[in-house]
Structure formats: C-alpha cells, structure tokens
Amino acid sequence: MLSVSIVIPAWNEQDRIADCLTNATRQSVAPHEVIVVDNRSSDNTCHIVERFMDRNPGSPVRLLHQEVEQGLIPTRNYGFNHATGDVLGRVDADCMLKPDWVEVVARLFTNDSTAMGATGPVAYYDMPAKHMAFRGDDRVRRNTYRADGGQVLLFGSNMAVRASAWRVIAGQVCRDRDDVMHEDIDLSLHLFDNDMKTVYLRNMICAISARRMDTSLASFLNYMRRFRNTFDAHPDHWRRHKTERALISLYPGLRLLYPVYQKYLDVLDVNPAERIWLGEQIELAEREGEREDLNGGQRTREKTDSAYSSNAPL
C-alpha cells in the first residue's frame, strides 16, 4: 500500500499534543511519519513532543519548526513540503485518529488512482451523546459539505491529499495573509481548479474537540464568516448548501453545554481524548502481542478493561 505521512500543525497545544501523537502512532498500519510542525509556540508543546520521541524511540514522530511566519497556512504548507509519504494526512493537534485511520486512507489512495483528496466524519470526544453527534456530522458532510454541484470539500481536521496533487497546487493555494478564509476549503477549490477528484469516506474517522463552541458569539460568528470569505475569493465556484447556518443554529445550546460537561469530566477525573479509542487500542496492542498499560499508568490490564469496558469506540 501507499505510505501515509501525517502532518500536525501546532501552536500552543501542550494540553492535547501527547494524546494526539499516541493516537497517530497506535495504528493498525503504521504511518510513514508523523510530523509535528511547531509555529512559534510559547508553551510546552515542543518539550512534550521531544519527550514523546525520547520515550518512544521507535516511533516515526518528527518535530519541525516553522518560525518565519505566524499562521496555519504557512505552517501546513511547511509540513506538506517536508513530508515524504505518498499521501499527506492533515489533522489538528487536538485530533484523535481512529486506530485504523492510516489503513483506511492508504487503502483508498492505493485502490483508487483517481482520488486526489479524501475526508471523513468526526466525533466529538469532549461532548456527550457522541454516537448521535457522529451520525449528525456524517449526514451533514455527506449531503451538504459540497461545492460545484456535488464535489466533496475537505475538512482540515480530517483530510488527506495525494502528494503528487499537493505538488501541483502548492504554489496556487491562497496565502490568506489577513487570515479570513478556511484553508481547507481553499485547498479543496484549488484541487477542483485542476480537475482533481476528492472523495468522502464514512470510515475515515477522527475525533476532535468541541472547544470551538467555548468561544464568544462574536468570535464564533467571525469564524463562520470564513465560509463566505473563502467562496468570495473563488468566484468561479459555488455551493448549494451553507453549512454555517446549521452550525450557528447549534451554537447557543452547545455554548451552554460545553463548559458544564467539562466540569463533569473534571469531577470524574476523565481525560476524554485518552479514552475515545481505548478499546480499539487495547485490541490492537493484543494483536501485536503488547502487554503494556496503554494509559501509561501502573494499573493492571484487568483493571483497565474493567474501568473502560463500557467505553464504545464513539
């Protein structure tokens, strides 16, 4: 199968980067490399990544530094340009990849030579009703997250691009120096400009944080305007559905629920990012013959299984 690089742009992500790397490296098919691209972090992000590499000397994790320019797009581009895999995965530093994510992505691009980009649904690991939210996210992305009459738009928290396709559009993607657009939609539209196919995979699953809902209304609405700004910058492209309308309608309820649920998790002393794929990670470790505690603690496997036996994959 084709090799898959995972690129993770990071800026002040000390709270989640270790969990992200754990999920990115505990895969049924090993990634070719996992590249963290630090963008002038002022917290302990780099130290945590370096410590992860020290404690896991056989892992394919690399730490790069993009210090020339602050911003997601130059940081993403730097990672893509330095990646050496056949396929370039792109996720955020708070994302938790399902343990078969690399396998699903590698199989798609290996079997479909016409696929140049791929994306899939997401679950929210730090919100309740994960199964219901996943089904809703899947429905929205399958039916409405499209442009130009049905072409699939890629979602930056869960996407992959063929390396050869990236080399074509690397010099075309917008720099967005005013930081007003959605970089993933911009990249998608540049793929469309070059007649490149994108696909949606329901089993290409990533879990993400709902922390965007913990921002002010003004900040959230400004973020939603990025949809319109991106299409305004690409007047040759169009969309039938405006996904941001559904997100805005959900904001009030989720804005109230998110901090309440975080307090609930704190009381239980639960790390939701650590738990999200634990059952599948245990199965994967057993298949590999590993007997280590996947939580990094001193508990026995029996206690681990008992504590999380009711924790479904989503």
Side-chain angles (χ1 to χ4, degrees), residues 73-130:
I73 290 176
T75 304
R76 175 204 67 189
N77 294 358
Y78 190 88
F80 277 9
N81 290 337
H82 284 79
T84 58
D86 301 311
V87 179
L88 311 178
R90 145 82 170 98
V91 299
D92 292 324
D94 65 338
C95 289
M96 308 298 140
L97 294 177
K98 195 170 185 288
D100 64 353
W101 191 91
V102 171
E103 182 178 359
V104 168
V105 169
R107 184 181 298 115
L108 164 72
F109 285 95
T110 299
N111 295 338
D112 186 353
S113 62
T114 67
M116 295 294 134
T119 196
V122 297
Y124 293 89
Y125 59 76
D126 52 4
M127 289 289 282
K130 295 177 181 60

Side-chain angles (χ1 to χ4, degrees), residues 94-214:
D94 65 338
C95 289
M96 308 298 140
L97 294 177
K98 195 170 185 288
D100 64 353
W101 191 91
V102 171
E103 182 178 359
V104 168
V105 169
R107 184 181 298 115
L108 164 72
F109 285 95
T110 299
N111 295 338
D112 186 353
S113 62
T114 67
M116 295 294 134
T119 196
V122 297
Y124 293 89
Y125 59 76
D126 52 4
M127 289 289 282
K130 295 177 181 60
H131 289 280
M132 183 181 301
F134 174 80
R135 289 194 295 269
D137 185 88
D138 172 55
R139 183 169 57 251
V140 168
R141 296 193 189 284
R142 275 190 293 114
N143 299 322
T144 71
Y145 208 64
R146 308 281 175 135
D148 300 353
Q151 297 191 75
V152 174
L153 292 170
L154 305 182
F155 179 45
S157 295
N158 184 18
M159 61 177 262
V161 179
R162 194 179 293 269
S164 58
W166 169 249
R167 289 191 286 269
V168 171
I169 67 170
Q172 302 174 13
V173 292
C174 297
R175 296 291 292 180
D176 188 24
R177 297 189 187 280
D178 294 329
D179 192 24
V180 296
M181 294 194 295
H182 279 311
E183 51 87 19
D184 47 3
I185 295 179
D186 171 75
L187 186 149
S188 303
L189 298 180
H190 283 287
L191 290 174
F192 301 165
D193 286 337
N194 289 274
D195 298 321
M196 295 182 182
K197 185 178 78 170
T198 56
V199 300
Y200 180 82
L201 290 176
R202 193 174 189 272
N203 60 338
M204 178 180 166
I205 301 172
C206 175
I208 68 174
S209 172
R211 61 184 180 176
R212 175 68 61 183
M213 295 299 175
D214 197 29

Side-chain angles (χ1 to χ4, degrees), residues 54 134 147 228 286:
D54 288 342
F134 174 80
R228 184 187 65 192
E286 290 174 340

